[in-house]
Amino acid sequence: MARTKHPAKRTSGHRSRGPPLSGTPRRRSTATPREADAQGQQQRKPHRFRPGTVALREIRKFQKTWNLLIPAAPFIRTVREISFYLAPSITRWQAEALRAIQEDSIYQYTKSVLYKSVFVLAELQ
């Protein structure tokens, strides 16, 4: 014989904690927060994550993606233009070399911005 689920039977010896069950479902209060305070009901707090949870989620998100500050095509054109001006004999570039130059330029830019912000903070104090 197959197993079946049976609803829990109510015994008359126990006192229930909630209102008696009836055939109609309970309705939620549609009162606004001000009306809820006036009626003595407590407003439910919005959900908040623990400190650091959202930061770690954002770090994981940004580590998975790598959006560059400057789009690749304009940056490569600029690099080729500058290299042609400085050394016309260099006409070919490996894609990996261009990507490395771009990542390093972003690193250098970020570093310079952070250094400048430190100097500004030092002047304010």
Side-chain angles (χ1 to χ4, degrees), residues 78-91 93:
T78 306
V79 168
R80 288 177 193 243
E81 180 182 329
I82 292 170
S83 69
F84 182 75
Y85 177 75
L86 296 175
S89 60
I90 301 174
T91 56
W93 284 88

Side-chain angles (χ1 to χ4, degrees), residues 1-5:
M1 182 187 274
R3 291 180 174 250
T4 59
K5 291 185 178 181

Side-chain angles (χ1 to χ4, degrees), residues 22-118:
S22 62
T24 59
R26 285 193 288 172
R27 290 183 162 212
R28 288 188 174 180
S29 174
T30 57
T32 62
R34 289 184 185 168
E35 293 172 1
D37 289 341
Q39 295 174 0
Q41 298 173 352
Q42 290 184 350
Q43 178 67 18
R44 188 173 185 181
K45 291 183 179 178
H47 181 265
R48 289 181 57 94
F49 288 101
R50 296 179 71 183
T53 305
V54 177
L56 289 173
R57 188 184 322 139
E58 289 176 354
I59 288 170
R60 287 187 202 106
K61 173 187 165 188
F62 289 125
Q63 282 178 343
K64 288 178 187 174
T65 63
W66 55 286
N67 297 332
L68 301 171
L69 294 175
I70 305 169
F75 182 81
I76 291 171
R77 264 183 265 143
T78 306
V79 168
R80 288 177 193 243
E81 180 182 329
I82 292 170
S83 69
F84 182 75
Y85 177 75
L86 296 175
S89 60
I90 301 174
T91 56
R92 292 186 172 186
W93 284 88
Q94 290 184 352
E96 196 67 28
L98 291 169
R99 194 173 304 123
I101 292 171
Q102 187 170 12
E103 287 181 13
D104 187 57
S105 66
I106 291 171
Y107 172 74
Q108 294 295 330
Y109 172 74
T110 308
K111 193 166 92 173
S112 69
V113 168
L114 290 174
Y115 280 140
K116 289 176 185 176
S117 64
V118 167

